[in-house]
Amino acid sequence: LRVYGHKGGFVLPNAACKASSLIVPMTKNSGAAIQSALFNLKPTGWTPITYSLKQAVNSDFAGVSGKKRIILLSDGGENCDESPCDYVMELTKTRQDIFIDVIAFNIYDTEANNQLKCTALVTSGKFYSANTAAELLESLQSSFGARKEVQGKIILH
């Protein structure tokens, strides 16, 4: 679980645009820790989406092989002079192993929605728009189950 927009109070723009923290590292059976961390968060700050994506790709996924999926949940568009869409367009030139599902929660700004849709679509991810708690839960459940891949091998005796 990586979070951004969680530092309230007076924060200088440069620091606010780097306010992204890995709260729960990738481990098996971390659902309870993620849920607990989410309940303690208060989204109050800027929205450094692109910086957070860069941190996830370059730090959180360092040494991790295979396909990687990010579920990006945001209640606003990027506001740190970067573009998540431009970033993933460059990223996919060298990396095809990262897929980003985006859940836009209560976002009515057309430009923000377009940037977030692009971020999902360029990486072959899914885009969800949620305006109620029920829609948010449905979007999360859909994203969690979006790419369950099952491989099997038939062995004849």
Side-chain angles (χ1 to χ4, degrees):
L1 174 65
R2 173 170 288 282
V3 299
Y4 60 88
H6 61 295
K7 302 223 176 177
F10 178 74
V11 181
L12 295 173
N14 190 40
C17 288
K18 294 194 181 330
S20 177
S21 303
L22 182 64
I23 303 294
V24 179
M26 288 189 296
T27 58
K28 289 184 180 189
N29 302 317
S30 60
I34 290 171
Q35 186 174 7
S36 176
L38 286 172
F39 280 120
N40 293 320
L41 288 174
K42 305 272 187 272
T44 59
W46 291 47
T47 312
I49 295 171
T50 307
Y51 179 79
S52 298
L53 289 173
K54 289 175 182 178
Q55 292 299 303
V57 170
N58 298 322
S59 297
D60 303 347
F61 289 150
V64 177
S65 61
K67 294 179 182 179
K68 297 153 207 61
R69 185 163 51 105
I70 295 170
I71 300 173
L72 172 65
L73 170 59
S74 189
D75 65 352
E78 172 75 55
N79 58 12
C80 289
D81 295 328
E82 291 192 89
S83 164
C85 179
D86 290 347
Y87 168 67
V88 297
M89 282 195 271
E90 285 300 312
L91 179 68
T92 57
K93 290 178 182 177
T94 57
R95 304 275 306 258
Q96 291 79 42
D97 61 331
I98 296 178
F99 305 88
I100 303 172
D101 288 352
V102 176
I103 303 171
F105 185 62
N106 275 343
I107 300 178
Y108 300 99
D109 178 86
T110 303
E111 183 179 340
N113 266 314
N114 287 342
Q115 283 286 316
L116 293 171
K117 281 180 190 174
C118 170
T119 301
L121 297 176
V122 165
T123 63
S124 299
K126 305 271 186 198
F127 177 82
Y128 304 92
S129 182
N131 296 317
T132 66
E135 289 174 347
L136 176 59
L137 180 60
E138 183 179 319
S139 298
L140 282 166
Q141 289 172 336
S142 294
S143 184
F144 286 142
R147 285 188 191 79
K148 288 191 177 177
E149 295 180 23
V150 177
Q151 292 183 344
K153 187 175 185 180
I154 298 173
I155 301 174
L156 300 174
H157 291 275

